[in-house]
Every structure is written in structure tokens, then in C-alpha cells.
Amino acid sequence: MKQIEELLAEYEIDYLYHMTYVDNLGSILLRGLLSRQQTCSQNLTYTDISDQEVQKRRSCKIVRGIPLHGYVPLYFNPRNPMLFVRKNLQSQIAILGIDPLVLLQPHSVFSDGNAACSNTVFYKDLSSLSRLNWKIIRQSIWYDQPDGKRIKCAEVLVYPQIAVRNILSVFCYSDEMVADIKKLRQDHLRIEVNRNLYF
């Protein structure tokens, strides 16, 4: 475990991140983070902030024998092209800080870019974190870099769900959002404003 913690520290992976509409938090903090496949099969209602054209591409993709929609998607850096496209909704988007040790779950994989792209490569062994372009993943600007948009959206895919206990923090756009989330009475959660994760 010490080696794993050292590896995560080397790449400054304090959290993995999942973005969601704040109104979804009640359900998430009850059931955990479910894959899109699970959410649909259980007929759960939620507000979707994703791009539907991108989701169509993702619906056709298989990663390591599992449909891409069977995984819960996380980002190494939430301040990425997906959030940029939804920046008009930022005041309503909560960013969940997930325990990076979900990388150790049996079917977890990670990618060197957006999972929907045909040229994205997927890895299982944590030693392959060295293959990712951390300069682009970490920096604030990606659009002036070759393939920057894809690389910036490097993902971690967790199958088939993420337990509530692995949701460590909720990062918010405003104090008003913090107040609303605290009404859910999840004492184990760290809830704070962090505008550095937003645009």
C-alpha cells in the first residue's frame, strides 16, 4: 500500500473527480455513484449534464470486455473541456472528490484521454500512469496543444459502481451550494467551495 500511496503522490492524485448536477446528490449519497447502464436498468431519474452526441459514441464502445456505459467515469482533472462546455451551468454543478484507491478495484482502468475517442489507450497497471501526458492533464490551457482536448479528458473507469464511502469530498461553486448540500446531513463528507476547479 505504501508503494501505491507514493505513486499517487508522485502524480499528485489526491482525488479523482466526478461532475454532477447538484440535484442528483441526494440519490448519489444514498446509492453511491452508479454507471449509466445501472442507472438506466434501475429506472432512476437524474439530471444529465453530459453531451448526448458524445454519449452516443460512448454507448457503442467496449473497454476490456465491458461496455463503456457499464463503468462510472472519473477525471484526473475536472477543469476540462466537458466542464468548459457546461460553464453556464457551473453554479449548479457539484464536483465529487473520489478516493483514488478505487483505481485498485478489480475492473478499474484508466485512459490517456477521452474514453470515447478511437485513439485513446486504456491501462490497468498503475505503473502505466507514467504513459499519461501529465503536463497537459494538469495545465489550465489545452486548446493550443496537439491532441490537447482529448488528453485533458483522461479518465478513470470504475466498474460497476462507486460506494458512498469512497466519495470523500464535494467541491462547490458557491457558498449557497455548500449550504444546500449540508442539508443532506452527510457528516463524513468534506464540503467546500473550490473555484479553482471551475472556470
Side-chain angles (χ1 to χ4, degrees):
M1 184 62 75
K2 183 179 178 183
Q3 287 181 325
I4 293 165
E5 289 175 349
E6 288 174 352
L7 192 61
L8 294 174
E10 178 182 350
Y11 294 103
E12 300 177 22
I13 305 173
D14 297 322
Y15 295 100
L16 302 170
Y17 299 94
H18 183 88
M19 292 174 273
T20 189
Y21 192 71
V22 69
D23 286 355
N24 296 331
L25 280 179
S27 177
I28 289 170
L29 295 175
L30 179 65
R31 299 179 176 87
L33 272 170
L34 307 183
S35 68
R36 180 173 289 262
Q37 202 172 62
Q38 280 193 323
T39 301
C40 292
S41 68
Q42 295 181 34
N43 293 315
L44 299 176
T45 301
Y46 70 104
T47 302
D48 190 355
I49 62 170
S50 64
D51 183 307
Q52 295 310 300
E53 287 303 313
V54 172
Q55 291 304 330
K56 285 180 184 176
R57 293 202 303 274
R58 293 175 78 95
S59 70
C60 301
K61 190 154 186 174
I62 305 292
V63 176
R64 302 287 176 109
I66 296 170
L68 184 49
H69 277 168
Y71 292 98
V72 179
L74 308 173
Y75 290 112
F76 290 106
N77 187 346
R79 197 174 187 275
N80 61 35
M82 179 189 168
L83 185 59
F84 184 77
V85 168
R86 296 289 181 258
K87 64 181 180 179
N88 61 313
L89 297 175
Q90 286 184 120
S91 63
Q92 302 167 69
I93 293 175
I95 299 175
L96 308 184
I98 308 300
D99 187 342
L101 293 179
V102 298
L103 278 160
L104 301 179
Q105 290 185 198
H107 299 288
S108 293
V109 296
F110 58 95
S111 68
D112 67 354
N114 190 314
C117 296
S118 60
N119 58 331
T120 289
V121 180
F122 297 89
Y123 304 98
K124 175 66 181 169
D125 192 324
L126 293 189
S127 66
S128 295
L129 287 168
S130 62
R131 297 173 179 266
L132 275 57
N133 187 331
W134 291 101
K135 180 180 178 182
I136 291 178
I137 291 170
R138 294 290 181 218
Q139 70 187 25
S140 59
I141 296 173
W142 64 85
Y143 41 81
D144 63 345
Q145 303 289 325
D147 204 22
K149 183 177 179 181
R150 183 191 69 84
I151 293 169
K152 184 73 173 177
C153 285
E155 298 181 47
V156 172
L157 304 174
V158 181
Y159 175 84
Q161 63 188 67
I162 293 172
V164 174
R165 67 178 178 275
N166 291 320
I167 303 171
L168 304 181
S169 298
V170 181
F171 300 107
C172 305
Y173 187 78
S174 66
D175 289 326
E176 290 78 9
M177 186 189 288
V178 169
D180 287 342
I181 295 170
K182 284 185 174 177
K183 292 175 186 174
L184 299 173
R185 300 188 180 280
Q186 293 288 328
D187 295 335
H188 77 284
L189 279 179
R190 177 180 177 184
I191 305 168
E192 64 179 63
V193 173
N194 188 339
R195 292 290 290 270
N196 292 326
L197 299 179
Y198 294 85
F199 290 95

